[in-house]
Amino acid sequence: MARAKQTARSEARRRYRQAAAQPDDAGADLDVEDGRPAGGPAKASPRSGVRAAQAPAGRPGFMSAFRSSYHAPQVREDLAALPTLLLSRALLGAIGLTLLGAAVWVTVPNLEGSLYARDLLVIPGSALVPQLVAGFFAPRASYLLGLIVGLVQGVVVIVLVTQFGSRLGTPLGTDQIGSLLSLAFLQGPITSMLFSAAAAWYRRFLALSGPRRTASRGSSGRPAAKSNVSRRSTSR
């Protein structure tokens, strides 16, 4: 009788140990089915690799941004797009500044401000503010827009000097015609073209060397929403 009770007690203890060990075994089986051993490091999923590849790169170095900002001119494509570029805001704004400077210079020629308008907006080769506007905001072919602005400045200067020379105090002599034509249609347009191209390069350089702000934004380009934890902490 005593031996039977002892056997029953040992059998009950064995069953209790088996029942207590079943959750651990089930967890181990689940770990094996997931493809990783129990207690071992988890394998990287393909989605994590895609997220790592889509993560925004850091800001490039100074020399890298300096080199990447240069774009070789594509003359054929730029000439094909020229009819559209003639109506761009960059070119129209630059020509508008030139005409505005010419109007101020003719209207009040003796005013000191009109001389600044002449030197900054009208005179070919030295008035480079319109070229800065054309090159910095050009959608493409900044050198062509600069060339057009330089030619417009040359035509405006010739009209002003020949028609309003006495009013402006710049009468045109016979020996000065050659130098004026060279300034209006050779030196001025070349300088204008180079300066507009430099302005477009500087715009690209600023875009590449500036700090990236996409890290704090989601995939849709909008700022990431705050987590629920932060909302709860602020509401308390």
Side-chain angles (χ1 to χ4, degrees):
M1 192 68 178
R3 182 178 299 176
K5 290 181 179 181
Q6 185 176 3
T7 304
R9 290 176 181 175
S10 61
E11 183 67 19
R13 287 195 296 268
R14 185 177 63 81
R15 291 178 180 177
Y16 176 77
R17 287 194 298 267
Q18 290 179 355
Q22 282 181 0
D24 295 336
D25 295 341
D29 294 340
L30 289 176
D31 289 341
V32 173
E33 290 178 1
D34 289 341
R36 61 179 186 273
K43 293 183 179 180
S45 62
R47 293 182 180 180
S48 62
V50 173
R51 292 175 182 174
Q54 293 179 352
R59 181 171 60 91
F62 178 82
M63 294 305 299
S64 178
F66 188 89
R67 292 189 298 267
S68 301
S69 301
Y70 172 74
H71 292 173
Q74 301 176 354
V75 180
R76 293 183 179 179
E77 291 80 358
D78 295 338
L79 290 176
L82 186 59
T84 304
L85 295 176
L86 292 177
L87 300 177
S88 63
R89 297 179 181 178
L91 181 61
L92 295 179
I95 294 177
L97 288 176
T98 301
L99 297 179
L100 177 62
V104 172
W105 186 26
V106 172
T107 304
V108 283
N110 298 324
L111 190 65
E112 184 178 1
S114 66
L115 299 180
Y116 285 111
R118 178 197 64 185
D119 296 337
L120 295 176
L121 302 175
V122 181
I123 301 299
S126 60
L128 298 176
V129 174
Q131 287 82 350
L132 177 63
V133 173
F136 198 85
F137 297 102
R140 63 176 301 164
S142 57
Y143 63 97
L144 285 181
L145 300 188
L147 179 63
I148 295 173
V149 173
L151 292 174
V152 170
Q153 286 179 338
V155 173
V156 169
V157 165
I158 290 179
V159 171
L160 293 180
V161 171
T162 55
Q163 300 297 325
F164 305 96
S166 58
R167 177 182 176 84
L168 299 175
T170 57
L172 182 63
T174 307
D175 55 341
Q176 297 176 342
I177 295 178
S179 60
L180 179 61
L181 293 177
S182 176
L183 177 64
F185 298 112
L186 184 61
Q187 300 177 14
I190 292 176
T191 304
S192 178
M193 179 176 59
L194 295 177
F195 193 82
S196 295
W201 171 89
Y202 185 65
R203 179 195 62 190
R204 293 189 293 266
F205 175 76
L206 290 179
L208 290 175
S209 60
R212 299 292 180 90
R213 298 181 179 179
T214 57
S216 61
R217 295 179 178 269
S219 59
S220 62
R222 298 179 179 178
K226 295 182 180 179
S227 61
N228 294 330
V229 177
S230 61
R231 290 179 180 176
R232 292 176 183 176
S233 61
T234 54
S235 61
R236 291 179 181 178

